[in-house]
Amino acid sequence: MASFWSSSLPSRLPFFLLLLQSPSSQAGPFRVEGPGRPVRALVGHPVELPCRLVPARNASAMEVGWYRPPFSRVVHLYRGGQDQAEEQAPEYRGRTELLRGAVAEGKVALRIHRVRFSDEGGFTCFFRDHGQQEEAALELKVEDPFHWVGPGALAGLAVLPLLLLQLVAGLLFLGLQRRLRGKLRAEIESLHRTFDPHFLRVPCWKVTLFVIVPVLGPLAALVICYNWLHRRLAGQFLEELSKFFPPSYKLKTKK
């Protein structure tokens, strides 16, 4: 019997060593590590929050989850080989996905779809195995692709079309002015060629008549109107006077 064990022990030594190493590779303490720096995401785009076990081990049978401190709102929970959607916070339902492609190596990642500004802040990733739970903190930074558009930039964007419009209007005005100036110069040159110097030789009496008639005309009309009005008023006055002194009275006075 002793010879059997002594003869078979060397051949079975690798098998015993494998048995001793296998439990130790899956048991024992572990820790969780995150990316070590803030994860940046653009609002409206997806983002991945990775976590891994150290030392590496198969985490397919472990409970894996993410929650947000300080109120421990569950972002995503994986337990018993299934996602526990009913335990998620309402704002994350339908927006999270656990990436388990490398779970046999202890690596997982949480993908959040349609990132919001409210997602910015701290997250906690945890692994739980037979009462042992280890965690790692992560930080998510949400950025706006149009963060550079501040009040000054908005004012510039509002003024820029007006400046462009003024520039185009100024260029059109300069072009039109140059074109009209050329036409005006051509017209002046044509007029100069056809101009008769004797055209300005007008008799003095014509000039005098041209100046005096506009002045004396209204004055003569005023005099005529005054005379006509004076005669009419005098006639009316005599008629009113004859009513008080009849013709018979005039005859008696004469006798």
Side-chain angles (χ1 to χ4, degrees), residues 135-187:
E135 301 177 345
L138 301 88
E139 185 178 2
L140 177 62
K141 295 285 188 180
V142 180
E143 298 177 352
D144 187 356
F146 300 101
H147 64 279
W148 55 272
V149 183
L154 289 176
L157 292 175
V159 173
L160 184 60
L162 297 178
L163 294 178
L164 292 176
L165 183 61
Q166 290 183 354
L167 179 61
V168 172
L171 293 176
L172 290 176
F173 175 76
L174 290 177
L176 183 61
Q177 185 182 25
R178 179 174 296 181
R179 185 174 179 182
L180 291 177
R181 186 178 298 173
K183 287 187 176 182
L184 182 59
R185 184 180 293 112
E187 291 292 337

Side-chain angles (χ1 to χ4, degrees), residues 88-104:
Q88 280 185 293
E91 62 268 25
Y92 289 103
R93 288 178 184 172
R95 289 201 303 129
T96 61
E97 177 186 1
L98 181 63
L99 305 179
R100 303 191 301 270
V103 68

Side-chain angles (χ1 to χ4, degrees), residues 17-29 55-57:
L17 291 176
L18 182 62
L19 290 178
L20 291 175
Q21 292 178 358
S22 295
S24 61
S25 62
Q26 298 297 327
R57 65 179 63 185

Side-chain angles (χ1 to χ4, degrees), residues 100-129:
R100 303 191 301 270
V103 68
E105 302 174 6
K107 298 178 182 180
V108 293
L110 176 67
R111 177 178 293 170
I112 302 177
H113 299 275
R114 304 182 300 278
V115 172
R116 306 169 183 173
F117 284 112
S118 59
D119 296 331
E120 185 173 80
F123 289 78
T124 300
C125 168
F126 70 88
F127 285 79
R128 183 182 294 122
D129 184 28

